[in-house]
PDB file of all heavy atoms in Angstrom:
ATOM      1  N   ASN A 102       1.171  16.518  -3.535  1.00 84.00           N
ATOM      2  CA  ASN A 102       0.537  15.267  -4.043  1.00 84.00           C
ATOM      3  C   ASN A 102       0.806  14.202  -2.910  1.00 84.00           C
ATOM      4  O   ASN A 102       1.851  14.147  -2.379  1.00 84.00           O
ATOM      5  CB  ASN A 102       1.090  14.875  -5.368  1.00 84.00           C
ATOM      6  CG  ASN A 102       0.932  15.883  -6.407  1.00 84.00           C
ATOM      7  OD1 ASN A 102      -0.157  16.533  -6.533  1.00 84.00           O
ATOM      8  ND2 ASN A 102       1.924  16.146  -7.309  1.00 84.00           N
ATOM      9  N   SER A 127      -1.508   8.337  -5.949  1.00 84.00           N
ATOM     10  CA  SER A 127      -2.553   7.709  -5.179  1.00 84.00           C
ATOM     11  C   SER A 127      -3.563   7.074  -6.105  1.00 84.00           C
ATOM     12  O   SER A 127      -4.315   6.245  -5.621  1.00 84.00           O
ATOM     13  CB  SER A 127      -3.270   8.780  -4.359  1.00 84.00           C
ATOM     14  OG  SER A 127      -3.772   9.838  -5.163  1.00 84.00           O
ATOM     15  N   TRP A 129      -2.456   5.095  -8.508  1.00 90.00           N
ATOM     16  CA  TRP A 129      -1.518   3.922  -8.855  1.00 90.00           C
ATOM     17  C   TRP A 129      -0.893   4.121 -10.287  1.00 90.00           C
ATOM     18  O   TRP A 129      -0.694   3.058 -10.931  1.00 90.00           O
ATOM     19  CB  TRP A 129      -2.455   2.607  -8.850  1.00 90.00           C
ATOM     20  CG  TRP A 129      -2.676   2.244  -7.441  1.00 90.00           C
ATOM     21  CD1 TRP A 129      -3.855   2.364  -6.766  1.00 90.00           C
ATOM     22  CD2 TRP A 129      -1.843   1.594  -6.461  1.00 90.00           C
ATOM     23  NE1 TRP A 129      -3.746   1.979  -5.478  1.00 90.00           N
ATOM     24  CE2 TRP A 129      -2.510   1.577  -5.210  1.00 90.00           C
ATOM     25  CE3 TRP A 129      -0.379   1.264  -6.568  1.00 90.00           C
ATOM     26  CZ2 TRP A 129      -1.824   0.960  -4.106  1.00 90.00           C
ATOM     27  CZ3 TRP A 129       0.174   0.675  -5.529  1.00 90.00           C
ATOM     28  CH2 TRP A 129      -0.504   0.575  -4.226  1.00 90.00           C
ATOM     29  N   GLU A 146      25.379 -17.422  -9.699  1.00 59.00           N
ATOM     30  CA  GLU A 146      26.657 -17.767  -9.775  1.00 59.00           C
ATOM     31  C   GLU A 146      26.965 -18.879  -8.734  1.00 59.00           C
ATOM     32  O   GLU A 146      27.742 -19.872  -9.055  1.00 59.00           O
ATOM     33  CB  GLU A 146      27.571 -16.609  -9.518  1.00 59.00           C
ATOM     34  CG  GLU A 146      27.637 -15.598 -10.631  1.00 59.00           C
ATOM     35  CD  GLU A 146      26.725 -14.446 -10.338  1.00 59.00           C
ATOM     36  OE1 GLU A 146      26.538 -14.109  -9.244  1.00 59.00           O
ATOM     37  OE2 GLU A 146      26.256 -13.851 -11.325  1.00 59.00           O
TER      38      GLU A 146
END
Side-chain angles (χ1 to χ4, degrees):
N102 300 323
S127 58
W129 290 102
E146 288 99 28

